[in-house]
Amino acid sequence: DVTGVQTCALPIYHPLMRDAIAQWLSHTTDLEVCGQVGTAPEALDQAIKLRPDLVLADLSLNGKGGLELIKDLQTTLPQLPVLVYSMHDESLFAARVLRAGARGYLSKSTGGERLVQGIREVLGGGLCLSPESSTGAPVGPASPTGAPPFFLPRQPISFLFL
């Protein structure tokens, strides 16, 4: 962008959370919100129309859901970075969103300053994960798009069958 301002689309399920994030970003000089929606189909349409620099996506979206949105965005706009901001346990979902094509995962328990820092990391071409997520070993080959390998958490996923 000529002005140095980069745009973010916010497909986040809860309107109050979208408003809070937009408020945080309004206090920066380099980031601005270009759109806010609450469903995956709206998010895909909005990304195609508005061409944001980044999508900050929730996993809990009406419609297809966040993981499917990431996959759809990777198919439609493969160069568009996606950062997931979700209430779901990062140790369970970080590797999944990275496999789907996202560039990072932050928990909604993360404060606003860390969220802004994470957005900037992803916009700068980096990967954004909390230290807890990135302690596992890299898994799988590097992506053909140049994305770094993803990480699996050290904690195993347990299932209870009744």
Side-chain angles (χ1 to χ4, degrees):
D1 186 290
V2 172
T3 64
V5 175
Q6 294 185 290
T7 57
C8 302
L10 306 179
I12 304 286
Y13 177 73
H14 293 97
L16 184 59
M17 182 61 74
R18 287 193 302 262
D19 291 345
I21 294 168
Q23 184 67 28
W24 264 99
L25 296 182
S26 73
H27 295 293
T28 69
T29 58
D30 60 330
L31 302 170
E32 73 179 16
V33 174
C34 65
Q36 301 181 45
V37 295
T39 71
E42 290 173 321
L44 182 60
D45 289 344
Q46 188 176 75
I48 292 168
K49 289 176 190 164
L50 300 178
R51 303 292 175 148
D53 295 305
L54 177 133
V55 171
L56 181 67
D58 197 342
L59 283 182
S60 298
L61 291 171
N62 287 329
K64 290 182 167 185
L67 278 173
E68 290 304 315
L69 171 62
I70 296 165
K71 293 174 188 175
D72 289 346
L73 287 169
Q74 286 299 299
T75 300
T76 309
L77 300 166
Q79 300 305 316
L80 177 61
V82 177
L83 174 60
V84 172
Y85 191 60
S86 181
M87 68 176 185
H88 297 290
D89 187 345
E90 189 171 358
S91 68
L92 297 176
F93 284 94
R96 292 177 187 161
V97 302
L98 293 174
R99 272 191 217 106
R103 302 287 299 153
Y105 189 104
L106 288 173
S107 167
K108 285 185 180 173
S109 63
T110 300
E113 290 178 15
R114 176 62 183 118
L115 176 60
V116 169
Q117 178 187 7
I119 290 170
R120 289 177 177 142
E121 288 170 7
V122 171
L123 285 169
L127 184 67
C128 177
L129 293 170
S130 71
E132 297 83 32
S133 296
S134 57
T135 57
V139 177
S143 161
T145 62
F150 49 87
F151 298 84
L152 288 178
R154 289 181 188 254
Q155 302 132 326
I157 298 174
S158 300
F159 295 96
L160 174 63
F161 294 99
L162 300 176

